[in-house]
Amino acid sequence: MGLKRAMMIGLDSADPVQVRRLMDEGKMPNLKKLLEEYGTANKSLAMLGALPSVTPPNWCSIATGNLPATHGVTCYGNASIGNIGWEEMNWTSRNVTSDFIWEQFSREGKRSIMLSYCEAWPPRVEDEYTVMIDGSGVVPFLRISIDYQKVVRLEEGDFQMQFIPHAMKTDNTDCIIMGDQYDDMVKQSKAGEINQAIPWAVPDIVSYPAGVEMPDLTGHDADTEEAYRPSKADQIKSPLKNPTNWSFELPQGAKEATVILNSGMIRRYLVISASDGIHYDTVTIYKNKKTAEPMGQVIGSGWSEFIYDYYFKGDEEHKVGYKINLIDIAKDGSSAIIYFSHVSDIDNFDYFYPKSMGPKIYDAIGPYMQFASVDVRGDHKENDRLVLETYAKHGCEWFADAAHWLFKEYPDWQLFYVHIHSIDNFQHWFVNETVPGTNPDYQYYRDLIDQVYVYNDMFIGEMMKYLDDDTSIIVTSDHGCMPKSAGDHYGGIGSIGGISTGVMYKLGYTALVKDEDGNILKDARGKAQIDWANTKAIAHRSSHIMINLKGREPNGIVEPEDYHQLVLDIISDLYNYRNEDGKRVIAHCFTRDEMAYLGMGGVHCGDIFFQLVPTFNNEHANTFSSAHHEGWSMQNLCILGGAGIKHGGFIDRTIRISDIVPTICHLTDTGMPGNVEGGVIYQALEGFNETKYDRGDEWALPTGKRLIK
């Protein structure tokens, strides 16, 4: 017998309903094989998740074995009673108040590997048994981007090169935060200037160092929906000319162009040519006109290999990596469009533990390729292709390469936690377009999302190569995803970040600053400002109502003796609220006493916890994980396979998200973390006999059920 090992493969937002369909259609053969030949699940392939149905709380439960009231992560962003309206990033271990499973493994001298796992970074235990690659963003290494993606357009002509930088969004949709922006944020935070100077994107992505004051986000009006089809890039237009002053010979008929990179600090030279001497189909990038060795090249459509360059960061040179894609080129060489990916600082090893692992893994498999998000010609399908190739295909390939390298480098590993985020982003962007009646291309969007599942299944296939008599695999998701029905729109309450003023303003509980004529004032970002002197309560984050209580909140106006009745009044008004179509928006409301039954509570929860009717759900985050809508579900995926797991057949037991950690501990003969609340999924274990009942009519009384012999 060898070391007992367990893999927890986390596919963010994977919907069991879609997984079942794709397995039946032959598009997820690896996961189907894991289920049918090596493992088991319940018939729905699902488990009950934590609330709210959003990323950080659920991945935290999968890593701790308990629910948000215990681990303290209660939404996408973190907020606290007593600091009404403030919010910070929640993708960090600093906010977790429970033991992680890998910390228990460490206590027992067992090695754990965490690859881009949400909530794990930074490591709270730094020892020889812990191996970790940053997971505090939707993809690894978001915070080491040193230059933004670019669309370079080359055209014949006599004109000056043009550079148009991308515009930083003022909401939470700009997923890349540059290092200098982060430094400025810290300085401005200390100077008390952050509310005016820093866009909302920063607290969603950047992890704040200890002692840095959070920005006051009370002015943020979150009455918007998730960003649809990301599209932002620096734009460069440069003239194509006949080559001059090259110290070596270029292909016959070649044309040259210059591009500025690294915020204008360096220049590189592009050469387009014809590989067959007739039709132009090649782009080559050179460091200068004296060095004959090209930095990178693309022939035909597709991607270059990684291009290694040196950029300036302050006064220092840093080795960086990026790729280029030849999007289009005229056969006569009169024009070309080239995509430059985000640029990663691969001299920065701050997001590896131990740091010594960083240069080794870069040398072995190369850096991670950041995702594309561009609109090249107003043709969104070109953008979709680039995003799919970078975020799903290349991303999953890099994850597989990284896992193989990690297992080889640390052959004594016994626990592996990995988190892949591509399904979630594609479903956010496109799931509402998959409903018939929303647009004529709904099948195109279904197929686009399906392809992301296919790439994630390929990763699972790579991990299944390690299945043996000592290794088990559990494949999970943190939530599913559901579209709105055709014609339905944002309900005016519930957003993963910020304050939703729509419904609460209409009901009279949230007041907004107005001018002398009664018009709502907006700040420089176009966001409404809260009038705290007249605000009784706000809707904050995905699912929380916070009372502006006197003596508790900085600008509190609600008297403590009025608190209980105000809570009841708000709940009553929310249940009675109807949108412009006469539809009910709020499905459930819970007081602080009642939310404890849901595993919610503590200082990081509001005074009321609410959930929405499924069609007004924000793709996810605002509806119970058991919900279904328009052929999709909010359910969490859970399939178990490998050593110690039953092979074939289904179990009847309801699996809960807090059961993953105790089950892994049982399979690996590891003690339970100190805060564990879940239970071992015994019914899934090899050799355990689950008593089966013929339930007959689903409405039959329990006394009418028949025991199956």
Side-chain angles (χ1 to χ4, degrees):
M1 295 290 289
L3 294 173
K4 289 191 174 183
R5 312 178 192 267
M7 296 186 187
M8 203 300 299
I9 300 175
L11 309 182
D12 203 287
S13 197
D15 174 6
V17 171
Q18 305 308 312
V19 168
R20 168 62 73 187
R21 174 180 63 81
L22 292 167
M23 288 197 303
D24 291 343
E25 293 176 0
K27 295 177 180 177
M28 297 190 78
N30 295 307
L31 193 52
K32 183 176 183 180
K33 185 175 183 179
L34 179 67
L35 172 64
E36 295 182 352
E37 298 185 23
Y38 296 100
T40 190
N42 60 36
K43 291 181 180 179
S44 68
L45 309 185
M47 64 180 172
L48 292 179
L51 291 172
S53 52
V54 72
T55 299
N58 282 268
W59 288 128
C60 195
S61 290
I62 289 172
T64 62
N66 49 56
L67 296 177
T70 302
H71 62 57
V73 179
T74 61
C75 201
Y76 190 88
N78 186 49
S80 303
I81 282 179
N83 288 297
I84 190 170
W86 287 49
E87 188 172 343
E88 63 173 310
M89 176 191 170
N90 223 3
W91 290 52
T92 170
S93 64
R94 295 184 179 97
N95 295 333
V96 179
T97 55
S98 296
D99 279 348
F100 289 117
I101 183 174
W102 48 84
E103 293 170 345
Q104 180 62 34
F105 270 65
S106 179
R107 294 184 191 107
E108 299 184 20
K110 298 177 178 179
R111 187 177 301 281
S112 301
I113 299 173
M114 282 63 68
L115 174 56
S116 188
Y117 192 77
C118 177
E119 301 304 303
W121 189 269
R124 301 190 308 189
V125 175
E126 299 184 3
D127 60 17
E128 61 182 300
Y129 305 112
T130 301
V131 177
M132 194 175 295
I133 295 178
D134 177 29
S136 57
V138 295
V139 297
F141 315 120
L142 275 175
R143 289 177 285 163
I144 64 171
S145 180
I146 200 169
D147 199 9
Y148 214 78
Q149 63 183 344
K150 295 170 176 35
V151 174
V152 178
R153 303 173 192 275
L154 308 180
E155 295 181 7
E156 289 182 332
D158 186 15
F159 57 89
Q160 293 292 320
M161 179 172 50
Q162 302 170 10
F163 178 82
I164 305 172
H166 79 285
M168 188 75 175
K169 296 286 187 180
T170 57
D171 54 21
N172 64 346
T173 63
D174 202 343
C175 290
I176 301 291
I177 303 301
M178 311 301 283
D180 56 346
Q181 292 170 325
Y182 173 64
D183 294 339
D184 288 345
M185 177 205 67
V186 173
K187 294 175 184 176
Q188 291 161 355
S189 175
K190 292 178 178 178
E193 301 169 357
I194 198 165
N195 194 39
Q196 290 75 36
I198 297 299
W200 165 246
V202 173
D204 266 351
I205 301 300
V206 177
S207 182
Y208 295 90
V212 176
E213 188 177 11
M214 296 299 99
D216 183 352
L217 301 177
T218 55
H220 181 70
D221 178 357
D223 290 329
T224 56
E225 299 203 57
E226 175 77 11
Y228 173 68
R229 198 181 290 117
S231 179
K232 44 195 173 292
D234 295 341
Q235 303 283 333
I236 297 176
K237 185 177 179 181
S238 186
L240 276 170
K241 300 179 179 179
N242 292 323
T244 58
N245 300 321
W246 290 80
S247 63
F248 53 92
E249 187 175 351
L250 295 175
Q252 184 176 1
K255 301 177 183 180
E256 70 169 57
T258 306
V259 292
I260 56 172
L261 306 172
N262 191 199
S263 301
M265 288 188 282
I266 63 174
R267 290 173 178 258
R268 296 292 179 251
Y269 297 90
L270 299 177
V271 172
I272 65 169
S273 59
S275 61
D276 62 359
I278 302 172
H279 300 115
Y280 286 80
D281 63 352
T282 303
V283 59
T284 308
I285 183 170
Y286 291 93
K287 182 178 181 180
N288 51 50
K289 295 185 177 183
K290 296 180 180 180
T291 305
E293 181 69 24
M295 301 178 70
Q297 186 179 73
V298 179
I299 301 176
S301 62
W303 294 90
S304 69
E305 297 298 320
F306 259 102
I307 296 168
Y308 295 104
D309 204 339
Y310 284 88
Y311 279 24
F312 289 99
K313 187 175 182 180
D315 296 330
E316 297 180 348
E317 271 195 336
H318 284 239
K319 185 178 181 180
V320 301
Y322 55 90
K323 289 188 176 185
I324 61 175
N325 182 284
L326 181 53
I327 295 174
D328 192 21
I329 187 168
K331 290 183 179 181
D332 63 359
S334 60
S335 65
I337 302 175
I338 303 154
Y339 170 78
F340 279 64
S341 74
H342 293 285
V343 181
S344 293
D345 180 358
I346 55 177
D347 272 346
N348 185 340
F349 307 121
D350 289 343
Y351 302 103
F352 293 92
Y353 183 82
K355 281 188 177 183
S356 58
M357 173 175 57
K360 293 180 182 179
I361 197 168
Y362 282 151
D363 288 345
I365 68 170
Y368 182 88
M369 184 179 180
Q370 304 292 357
F371 59 89
S373 53
V374 294
D375 190 357
V376 180
R377 292 178 287 238
D379 176 7
H380 67 80
K381 292 184 180 180
E382 181 66 54
N383 175 24
D384 299 342
R385 177 186 69 82
L386 287 172
V387 177
L388 182 67
E389 290 180 359
T390 54
Y391 211 162
K393 181 178 184 294
H394 292 173
C396 288
E397 289 177 355
W398 186 89
F399 271 91
D401 290 343
H404 292 319
W405 184 88
L406 287 163
F407 297 155
K408 184 178 180 180
E409 183 74 4
Y410 302 99
D412 61 341
W413 70 272
Q414 291 186 259
L415 179 69
F416 178 58
Y417 263 56
V418 59
H419 162 249
I420 302 178
H421 206 90
S422 51
I423 293 174
D424 180 75
N425 276 53
F426 272 73
Q427 289 181 162
H428 269 303
W429 297 330
F430 305 122
V431 72
N432 286 309
E433 308 303 313
T434 66
V435 178
T438 57
N439 66 80
D441 291 332
Y442 71 89
Q443 188 61 50
Y444 164 80
Y445 293 109
R446 288 183 177 181
D447 294 341
L448 188 64
I449 293 174
D450 286 357
Q451 190 60 48
V452 185
Y453 278 86
V454 169
Y455 287 129
N456 279 259
D457 185 71
M458 292 178 181
F459 173 80
I460 292 170
E462 290 297 307
M463 296 303 97
M464 287 175 62
K465 293 177 180 178
Y466 297 93
L467 280 175
D468 57 27
D469 293 339
D470 299 305
T471 304
S472 53
I473 294 177
I474 301 178
V475 181
T476 69
S477 68
D478 53 337
H479 50 74
C481 186
M482 297 189 305
K484 296 173 178 62
S485 297
D488 286 328
H489 304 286
Y490 177 63
I493 188 170
S495 174
I496 62 171
I499 301 170
S500 304
T501 60
V503 171
M504 295 296 282
Y505 173 73
K506 292 178 182 178
L507 294 177
Y509 294 108
T510 298
L512 302 177
V513 177
K514 299 180 180 180
D515 61 21
E516 295 178 354
D517 297 324
N519 300 311
I520 297 173
L521 292 176
K522 301 291 183 71
D523 64 10
R525 301 167 296 170
K527 306 298 181 181
Q529 300 296 298
I530 306 297
D531 176 6
W532 290 107
N534 294 291
T535 289
K536 293 182 179 180
I538 60 168
H540 199 200
R541 301 179 291 164
S542 73
S543 312
H544 300 270
I545 303 290
M546 301 182 74
I547 304 298
N548 194 20
L549 188 64
K550 185 182 290 186
R552 187 186 77 182
E553 305 299 342
N555 302 291
I557 66 169
V558 176
E559 297 291 343
E561 58 267 27
D562 296 331
Y563 172 88
H564 180 69
Q565 187 59 50
L566 179 60
V567 167
L568 297 179
D569 290 344
I570 293 173
I571 290 175
S572 178
D573 287 342
L574 288 174
Y575 278 133
N576 288 325
Y577 177 77
R578 299 293 185 271
N579 74 348
E580 61 274 10
D581 296 327
K583 296 179 180 179
R584 180 165 59 95
V585 173
I586 301 294
H588 307 283
C589 289
F590 302 88
T591 66
R592 285 187 66 80
D593 287 343
E594 294 164 343
M595 70 178 73
Y597 190 77
L598 308 174
M600 295 293 287
V603 297
H604 301 300
C605 280
D607 298 287
I608 299 169
F609 184 80
F610 65 87
Q611 295 285 271
L612 304 181
V613 173
T615 195
F616 297 112
N617 172 68
N618 211 10
E619 287 90 58
H620 65 85
N622 321 95
T623 299
F624 287 140
S625 68
S626 53
H628 292 69
H629 189 63
E630 294 286 359
W632 297 71
S633 87
M634 197 61 65
Q635 295 177 113
N636 303 61
L637 178 68
C638 183
I639 295 176
L640 307 93
I645 302 297
K646 288 179 179 177
H647 294 183
F650 295 100
I651 63 174
D652 286 342
R653 171 193 173 141
T654 297
I655 300 173
R656 291 173 173 80
I657 199 166
S658 55
D659 297 336
I660 301 302
V661 162
T663 302
I664 290 175
C665 288
H666 179 86
L667 289 168
T668 57
D669 293 333
T670 303
M672 298 292 169
N675 308 103
V676 71
E677 296 171 341
V680 176
I681 310 170
Y682 286 107
Q683 291 79 3
L685 301 183
E686 194 173 35
F688 188 92
N689 294 318
E690 180 185 17
T691 303
K692 298 277 189 176
Y693 286 86
D694 178 6
R695 288 170 170 80
D697 185 343
E698 63 177 322
W699 302 111
L701 294 174
T703 54
K705 294 177 181 176
R706 300 182 301 280
L707 180 65
I708 297 177
K709 299 295 185 182

